[in-house]
Amino acid sequence: MNEAIKISHLTKSYGTHVVLNGLDFCVQQGEIFALLGINGAGKTTSLECIEGLRKYDSGNIVINGILGIQLQSASLPEHIKALEAVKLFAKWNKTSLDKEALDALGIYAFSKKQYYQLSTGQKRRLHLALALTRNPDILFLDEPTAGLDVEGRISLHEQIRQLKAMGKTIILASHDMTEVENLCDRIAILSSGKIAFIGTVEQLGKTIGKHYNIAIQTEYGTKTYESENIGDSLLPLLMQYKEKGETILDIQIDRGSLEQHFMKIAKGA
């Protein structure tokens, strides 16, 4: 695969505070890629530098294609109508309306509504339509489903998959680990201004090692335990409950979640 974005030795400081410390990573064409990090890790600064919204101190950013950016919020006038906003952005970018894309996003269903009248889901769809007006090769989505109900999330996820099927490269910023796991081909985790991990969700699990959660329910409630080796941990736990005379009502065992893996890497564990 060819590289859609290549970041080399990127640095950025705010005064004496170093935010990006020689950042290096690539995004391949046609993939859905998530950049993750806890607060203060440098995720927002990284994305803003790539998007051209913030200056960086040194390093190189190579972008192969046209960018489209869907921000989490937009400063549209309250009384502009949805379709008017799309036409305005199309005129700015000297492009014609993609009626098929607008129809797929359901814009025509609320085209005459003013911006302040739109629901959260409708605003998310409108923001995505505005980001697509230049027919971008690379699309940045910042918390695209934040505030949406289940139906809205499922619908927007399907739109994102369709964009990938069209060959778009998508960079996703999200705090929803389930969303990241369901949509993304690869993820990168920032820690202290550098990439601490990059790869697939499966590779992340292997990097961390096996991690299990054991939930044991008795009449006194449910207690949870963490284990690296289920074979060595489960039997001693069961013996402890037997010795205490507590009857076990239920046992649940699952692998560590993406969120748990992410936190271990992000915090430098």
Side-chain angles (χ1 to χ4, degrees):
M1 295 176 67
N2 296 321
E3 294 168 347
I5 297 174
K6 184 174 182 179
I7 310 299
S8 304
H9 313 302
L10 197 67
T11 67
K12 174 64 180 178
S13 299
Y14 298 107
T16 59
H17 177 53
V18 178
V19 179
L20 303 180
N21 187 17
L23 190 64
D24 292 279
F25 70 92
C26 296
V27 179
Q28 304 298 331
Q29 289 182 355
E31 73 173 340
I32 301 179
F33 182 90
L35 186 61
L36 309 175
I38 60 176
N39 292 337
K43 179 186 64 177
T44 300
T45 297
S46 302
L47 292 174
E48 289 178 347
C49 289
I50 299 169
E51 293 164 349
L53 301 177
R54 188 174 298 278
K55 291 183 179 181
Y56 50 94
D57 299 332
S58 63
N60 292 297
I61 299 175
V62 178
I63 298 174
N64 297 314
I66 299 171
L67 293 186
I69 303 171
Q70 182 229 359
L71 300 175
Q72 190 175 157
S73 60
S75 299
L76 291 172
E78 286 191 356
H79 297 288
I80 193 171
K81 294 179 181 177
L83 192 57
E84 287 177 344
V86 176
K87 289 180 177 178
L88 180 61
F89 271 63
K91 188 171 183 178
W92 278 341
N93 291 291
K94 299 179 181 180
T95 60
S96 57
L97 293 182
D98 187 339
K99 294 183 179 180
E100 186 176 343
L102 294 178
D103 187 50
L105 288 170
I107 303 298
Y108 290 115
F110 54 87
S111 61
K112 295 182 180 180
K113 278 189 174 183
Q114 295 178 329
Y115 186 69
Y116 81 94
Q117 296 174 313
L118 302 181
S119 67
T120 301
Q122 290 170 336
K123 287 180 178 178
R124 290 283 185 269
R125 291 176 180 276
L126 177 58
H127 297 164
L128 182 54
L130 298 179
L132 291 170
T133 53
R134 297 179 67 197
N135 189 24
D137 306 295
I138 305 167
L139 190 61
F140 286 83
L141 303 179
D142 187 0
E143 301 289 346
T145 59
L148 297 188
D149 57 20
V150 174
E151 184 179 1
R153 290 164 63 84
I154 292 173
S155 177
L156 199 51
H157 283 179
E158 183 57 33
Q159 294 296 330
I160 293 172
R161 291 188 181 97
Q162 289 180 15
L163 289 169
K164 179 193 173 182
M166 294 166 58
K168 307 289 186 187
T169 302
I170 299 171
I171 292 87
L172 180 69
S174 176
H175 287 97
D176 186 337
M177 293 297 111
T178 301
E179 179 171 80
V180 169
E181 191 166 8
N182 289 338
L183 289 176
C184 295
D185 299 298
R186 290 192 305 145
I187 62 176
I189 300 176
L190 272 171
S191 180
S192 301
K194 290 185 176 182
I195 297 295
F197 169 84
I198 187 166
T200 65
V201 173
E202 290 76 14
Q203 289 170 336
L204 176 59
K206 291 178 181 178
T207 299
I208 291 294
K210 291 183 178 180
H211 179 87
Y212 296 92
N213 298 315
I214 305 171
I216 298 179
Q217 181 184 357
T218 69
E219 59 183 346
Y220 302 106
T222 301
K223 291 184 178 181
T224 58
Y225 307 88
E226 292 185 2
S227 171
E228 299 295 330
N229 188 317
I230 194 69
D232 293 340
S233 302
L234 186 57
L235 185 57
L237 280 173
L238 296 179
M239 291 301 297
Q240 289 178 23
Y241 278 88
K242 184 177 181 179
E243 290 171 0
K244 290 188 293 185
E246 294 185 29
T247 301
I248 295 176
L249 303 177
D250 189 26
I251 299 176
Q252 292 184 353
I253 302 172
D254 63 70
R255 286 293 302 270
S257 66
L258 173 60
E259 185 171 1
Q260 290 171 325
H261 295 331
F262 158 68
M263 290 305 295
K264 280 191 174 183
I265 291 285
K267 290 185 176 180

